[in-house]
Amino acid sequence: MFPEDRRYGLQSWNPLPFLFFLSTSPSSHWCLGRRNQDLEKAGKANCPYYAKAELLADYLQKNLPDFRIFKITKHPDEWEEWLEDVCERNMWDHRISPIIWRELLDRGGKGLLLGGYNEFLEHAQLYYGITSSMTTELMMIIAQENMETHTEQELDKENLKDLISPLQVWITSAGSRVCCHLIPLLLSGEVFGMQAEISLTLFDQEQRRECLSNIVMETENLASPVLRTVSFCTTVKDAFLQAEVIIILDDSTDEEVYNMESCLRSRVPLCRLYGYLIEKNAHKSVKVIVGGKSFLNLKTTLLIQYAPSLASNIIAVALGLEGQAKAVLARKMKTIPSRIKDVIIWGNITGNNYVDLRKAKVYNYESAIRGPPGYYHSVLSLIFDREWITKEFVRTLKDLSSTGKQFGGILAAHSIATTLKYWYYGSPPGEIVSLGVMSEGQFGIPEGIVFSMPVKFENGTWVVLTDLEDLSLSEKIINRLTGDLIQEKLVASGDLLTFQPIEEDPKDNTPSPTGLNEEKEQAESDSPLSVTEPNQMQEAWLEEEGNKDSDVKHGDREKLQPEQT
């Protein structure tokens, strides 16, 4: 016999073991059954009859060794829909709280409806001789406690979700073709990892709303396992809210630009706005990456100017131009572009730049001498046509950049995604990466301008490789590369009225670089901007090597050099 209990008035009990499952919620349910059965009960959390049944079930579970209860909590606002779904699935007819049913535990049979509170009380009296004399006042108190407990549990669940919050990624000018190529790469799991969920927000002008809506639907159709949410934003004041990654793409504008100076100054208002919003709305450790085909260095410089607290977290992508150079070299050498490493881009990524091959290497090259993985050949030692390096190589890259044929959405998107991947997980060990960053005087480059230079990524940040040997730039090269960048900044800010491209020394027996006026025309026509400065240093390197080493001059076998790829 159970001990006396005034609330339940225990008279006698059935020795047959039962299993009870009680679910408590704004809508909760019970389960009661024999050893091989399960009885469930559900009701609204603020339902007094549910509270009364809950106390009775708790008492039975405490005193019966084989009696178990299972509690499910539903908010009163969810109760009607939940109850309708349960009844429809089991073909029951029940409309009030609570609801109680029994299930067979070891046979997999469907549930057997017991009924509501009255039926459960009758069941308890029949099997256990137990009755309940709980007062209405006590029922209401317990019902209120149930409701408060349920509310607290729901808040705890929400707080737990916040602890596992997704990575907030924003893309500007999201109606562009580059964005459509970029989204699948970001959601592939290769950039941020499969363990990082992403909340993606597409930002553009109001007139692109329909386009953004279509992109959102297509993104959802990808069914990516790393995508938590995707949405679009056309409200300026809400831009970059809690953003942890911001990708700045080329902005689309309908404004007519009549000269170079107007083209430069037209970049200022949007960069000023973005800088203000990033400082105001974005996460304090946000990573900002600037990609595209026009005025990358200038836009990055302006963003840093208007968001100074994030200067080290705002960078410009140079991997697109680096990839073009590797592809041209690979065609010349009849190898694969991915086997060529350490091509360095100096200067203006979408303007006056210098492609440096002094550290360039090629791995797994098909030649008379082969080495194990980790051995490489110097690119300059394998290309014996000095004229091709200093003229045709330069001209080919210039033609590619001016026509835009090889810098479409695919290349731009891949360059951005790869740079982000390196930023989060580090670049390959020992490999040199080109990146547009704010100069602090490295390599003799003036401070205060964004300049593409060799870096490596590690531990979630980038480091300029100032310790590389034999990588100094001549004053002549530096002046030519920085002159246009400094003028761009001064003209854009209004401190200089006219832009005067730095003229090439007529003594240089190489094609002249593309001027910034051509950059303006390319920006208006949405064609990529990339110019290669005459490779005077490559020519000097070849001449020096040829004088001291006849192997390069006559094409004899070179000495293999080990390096970890």
Side-chain angles (χ1 to χ4, degrees):
M1 294 289 290
F2 291 145
E4 293 287 338
D5 191 285
R6 293 180 181 179
R7 290 177 298 174
Y8 301 109
L10 178 63
Q11 302 296 329
S12 62
W13 61 284
N14 192 321
L16 294 177
F18 276 75
L19 178 62
F20 267 84
F21 292 88
L22 171 64
S23 65
T24 61
S25 65
S27 314
S28 43
H29 71 273
W30 280 57
C31 296
L32 168 67
R34 297 177 185 269
R35 182 185 301 273
N36 295 328
Q37 295 176 334
D38 181 19
L39 184 71
E40 303 192 15
K41 168 188 171 183
K44 292 187 291 185
N46 62 349
C47 173
Y49 290 100
Y50 169 76
K52 196 171 185 178
E54 181 184 16
L55 275 180
L56 177 57
D58 286 342
Y59 177 83
L60 292 174
Q61 180 175 245
K62 179 181 178 181
N63 292 280
L64 288 173
D66 296 306
F67 189 95
R68 299 290 182 272
I69 60 174
F70 176 66
K71 302 178 181 181
I72 299 176
T73 303
K74 296 291 178 183
H75 195 275
D77 295 340
E78 303 172 354
W79 164 253
E80 296 295 338
E81 182 178 356
W82 181 86
L83 179 62
E84 182 179 354
D85 179 68
V86 170
C87 291
E88 180 180 355
R89 189 168 60 248
N90 293 279
M91 295 183 290
W92 294 338
D93 183 14
H94 192 83
R95 296 288 180 269
I96 61 174
S97 171
I99 180 173
I100 305 153
W101 70 89
R102 181 172 59 193
E103 293 181 354
L104 298 178
L105 294 180
D106 61 347
R107 300 181 186 177
K110 78 169 189 174
L112 176 63
L113 179 64
L114 183 61
Y117 168 73
N118 291 333
E119 288 78 11
F120 175 63
L121 182 59
E122 181 180 348
H123 184 89
Q125 290 174 339
L126 177 63
Y127 278 87
Y128 305 107
I130 298 175
T131 184
S132 175
S133 58
M134 183 186 299
T135 64
T136 301
E137 181 180 3
L138 180 58
M139 289 168 55
M140 299 302 295
I141 292 175
I142 296 177
Q144 181 63 30
E145 291 176 351
N146 286 341
M147 187 64 192
E148 293 174 355
T149 301
H150 172 72
T151 303
E152 292 176 0
Q153 290 174 345
E154 291 299 310
L155 289 175
D156 290 341
K157 289 180 182 179
E158 292 299 321
N159 292 333
L160 184 60
K161 289 181 180 179
D162 292 338
L163 294 176
I164 319 174
S165 59
L167 183 69
Q168 301 291 330
V169 179
W170 283 70
I171 305 177
T172 70
S173 303
S176 64
R177 182 177 59 174
V178 176
C179 180
C180 296
H181 290 291
L182 179 60
I183 290 175
L185 298 177
L186 297 179
L187 301 183
S188 67
E190 294 292 327
V191 177
F192 303 110
M194 290 301 297
Q195 75 283 357
E197 288 190 314
I198 297 173
S199 178
L200 182 64
T201 306
L202 311 178
F203 181 66
D204 211 327
Q205 303 174 19
E206 177 63 30
Q207 52 264 40
R208 307 301 298 274
R209 172 178 288 269
E210 184 176 354
C211 176
L212 294 178
S213 178
N214 292 334
I215 296 176
V216 167
M217 292 182 62
E218 285 196 64
T219 303
E220 292 173 337
N221 293 341
L222 291 175
S224 169
V226 301
L227 179 64
R228 173 82 69 87
T229 62
V230 57
S231 59
F232 67 86
C233 174
T234 58
T235 306
V236 172
K237 66 181 181 63
D238 295 332
F240 312 137
L241 285 174
Q242 298 303 311
E244 296 171 88
V245 175
I246 299 176
I247 302 171
I248 308 290
L249 301 180
D250 285 330
D251 55 287
S252 56
T253 176
D254 298 327
E255 298 180 4
E256 293 187 11
V257 180
Y258 298 99
N259 53 49
M260 180 63 183
E261 290 74 19
S262 298
C263 189
L264 290 170
R265 293 181 184 121
S266 67
R267 266 57 187 174
V268 177
L270 190 60
C271 289
R272 181 192 296 119
L273 175 63
Y274 282 174
Y276 167 75
L277 292 171
I278 291 171
E279 286 269 8
K280 179 176 180 289
N281 294 339
H283 193 276
K284 61 181 180 180
S285 61
V286 62
K287 291 178 170 62
V288 182
I289 184 166
V290 184
K293 300 178 287 186
S294 62
F295 299 104
L296 285 194
N297 294 59
L298 175 63
K299 289 189 292 186
T300 307
T301 299
L302 292 173
L303 285 172
I304 292 175
Q305 178 180 336
Y306 295 114
S309 65
L310 300 169
S312 62
N313 277 14
I314 303 178
I315 60 175
V317 178
L319 288 184
L321 178 57
E322 188 178 311
Q324 286 181 320
K326 290 178 180 178
V328 174
L329 291 169
R331 286 192 288 271
K332 174 68 174 177
M333 301 172 66
K334 295 181 174 54
T335 186
I336 302 172
S338 62
R339 294 178 179 177
I340 299 177
K341 308 293 183 182
D342 300 346
V343 173
I344 302 173
I345 308 298
W346 297 94
N348 192 345
I349 300 167
T350 52
N352 239 351
N353 53 57
Y354 165 47
V355 179
D356 191 347
L357 303 181
R358 288 176 292 169
K359 295 292 183 181
K361 308 173 182 67
V362 58
Y363 293 84
N364 300 323
Y365 187 67
E366 299 288 343
S367 65
I369 298 180
R370 300 289 300 276
Y375 282 84
Y376 63 86
H377 299 264
S378 168
V379 168
L380 288 178
S381 297
L382 292 176
I383 301 178
F384 312 112
D385 188 347
R386 184 182 307 175
E387 185 174 353
W388 183 90
I389 294 176
T390 58
K391 293 184 178 181
E392 186 174 344
F393 177 62
V394 174
R395 184 169 56 251
T396 301
L397 287 179
K398 174 183 173 182
D399 291 342
L400 288 176
S401 63
S402 62
T403 60
K405 293 179 180 179
Q406 301 297 325
F407 201 88
I410 295 177
L411 178 57
H414 183 267
S415 303
I416 293 170
T418 303
T419 303
L420 272 174
K421 177 183 177 181
Y422 289 170
W423 205 347
Y424 271 84
Y425 294 102
S427 53
E431 187 170 323
I432 300 174
V433 179
S434 300
L435 187 69
V437 299
M438 179 60 72
S439 171
E440 297 179 353
Q442 305 97 326
F443 304 104
I445 300 166
E447 298 182 13
I449 58 173
V450 170
F451 198 92
S452 178
M453 58 184 74
V455 305
K456 66 176 178 180
F457 288 92
E458 61 181 6
N459 302 323
T461 188
W462 49 267
V463 179
V464 178
L465 297 175
T466 56
D467 57 346
L468 293 175
E469 297 180 358
D470 303 323
L471 202 63
S472 60
L473 294 175
S474 68
E475 184 178 353
K476 182 179 179 181
I477 293 291
I478 292 177
N479 290 339
R480 180 171 298 163
L481 296 179
T482 60
D484 287 345
L485 288 173
I486 293 173
Q487 286 194 77
E488 281 186 4
K489 181 180 177 181
L490 293 175
V491 171
S493 62
D495 295 330
L496 187 65
L497 295 180
T498 59
F499 181 87
Q500 298 292 334
I502 303 297
E503 295 184 1
E504 182 188 3
D505 189 338
K507 295 181 180 180
D508 293 334
N509 186 25
T510 49
S512 61
T514 302
L516 268 274
N517 286 315
E518 182 176 337
E519 183 176 5
K520 170 239 177 184
E521 296 172 0
Q522 294 164 343
E524 295 174 333
S525 63
D526 196 34
S527 63
L529 302 169
S530 176
V531 189
T532 305
E533 185 67 19
N535 290 336
Q536 302 157 318
M537 302 191 75
Q538 263 104 242
E539 184 176 3
W541 186 95
L542 282 173
E543 183 175 355
E544 179 182 351
E545 291 296 310
N547 291 335
K548 70 180 182 181
D549 189 349
S550 61
D551 289 347
V552 176
K553 182 176 180 181
H554 299 292
D556 292 338
R557 298 186 300 180
E558 64 173 281
K559 181 181 179 181
L560 293 176
Q561 308 174 56
E563 179 175 296
Q564 182 180 359
T565 56

